[in-house]
Amino acid sequence: MKLNWGTGIVLAFIGFISFIMYFVINMNTSEKYNTSLVTEDYYKAELEYQNDIDKEKNARNLAQNITWKRTEKGLEINFPESMDISQITGKVFLYRPSNEQVDFETAISLSHHNLLIPDKRLLDGRWNIKVDWQYRGKSYLYKKEIVY
């Protein structure tokens, strides 16, 4: 059987389309390439974005904002020393961009001006930390990308 240039072009197109379809199907069905959204209900989160902007502005206007440091026991989040710790409430959310299974949220419960997140809960690498807290009826938000 003799192949002419028209048959060769058709076979090349069929091969190329098959190659592309294989990778499209493989990427969509394989658990290895599982992609996830940052948040499941991102439309609701978008509506709350102006509140977050206001909270961050409140936090920037503080004389002393939240700080963090890595200790041998874990991640230590320090709240302003000038505030009464019994009046501080809120939540700390740690988000790991590379693995949503290790994301977690914890309530703020202070006995001193710092909150310790144990080392065993954190993997080395990049984390996004979000501290949404209130003090005497005013809301604050601290967001930071950290490398632990």
Side-chain angles (χ1 to χ4, degrees):
M1 178 173 159
K2 189 174 179 183
L3 295 176
N4 62 19
W5 63 271
T7 307
I9 290 175
V10 169
L11 290 176
F13 274 127
I14 290 172
F16 179 72
I17 292 170
S18 300
F19 176 75
I20 295 298
M21 290 302 294
Y22 165 76
F23 280 107
V24 168
I25 292 169
N26 189 26
M27 293 293 286
N28 285 327
T29 59
S30 178
E31 289 296 319
K32 180 180 174 186
Y33 304 111
N34 187 16
T35 58
S36 61
L37 299 172
V38 172
T39 179
E40 291 296 323
D41 49 352
Y42 54 89
Y43 291 119
K44 181 181 173 188
E46 182 66 28
L47 294 174
E48 296 290 325
Y49 194 66
Q50 183 60 46
N51 291 337
D52 288 352
I53 292 170
D54 295 338
K55 290 176 188 179
E56 285 184 276
K57 184 179 176 184
N58 290 342
R60 281 192 302 271
N61 291 334
L62 288 172
Q64 180 187 4
N65 202 353
I66 291 177
T67 59
W68 67 275
K69 66 180 176 182
R70 183 177 183 171
T71 64
E72 53 192 47
K73 294 180 182 178
L75 179 69
E76 184 178 293
I77 301 169
N78 298 305
F79 289 85
E81 301 257 341
S82 61
M83 295 183 173
D84 179 19
I85 59 172
S86 64
Q87 303 265 336
I88 297 174
T89 59
K91 293 185 178 185
V92 175
F93 180 68
L94 278 108
Y95 165 72
R96 175 101 172 171
S98 62
N99 185 358
E100 73 177 305
Q101 275 76 31
V102 296
D103 296 352
F104 66 93
E105 183 175 307
T106 184
I108 296 173
S109 175
L110 302 175
S111 58
H112 299 291
H113 280 90
N114 54 28
L115 175 69
L116 181 68
I117 297 171
D119 192 45
K120 64 183 178 186
R121 295 202 67 184
L122 300 169
L123 301 173
D124 289 343
R126 182 172 175 260
W127 288 87
N128 291 348
I129 184 170
K130 181 178 176 181
V131 183
D132 191 356
W133 57 293
Q134 297 79 33
Y135 180 70
R136 293 187 178 163
K138 196 166 188 179
S139 296
Y140 302 93
L141 181 65
Y142 176 80
K143 289 200 267 188
K144 188 81 171 168
E145 294 174 2
I146 64 172
V147 178
Y148 185 76

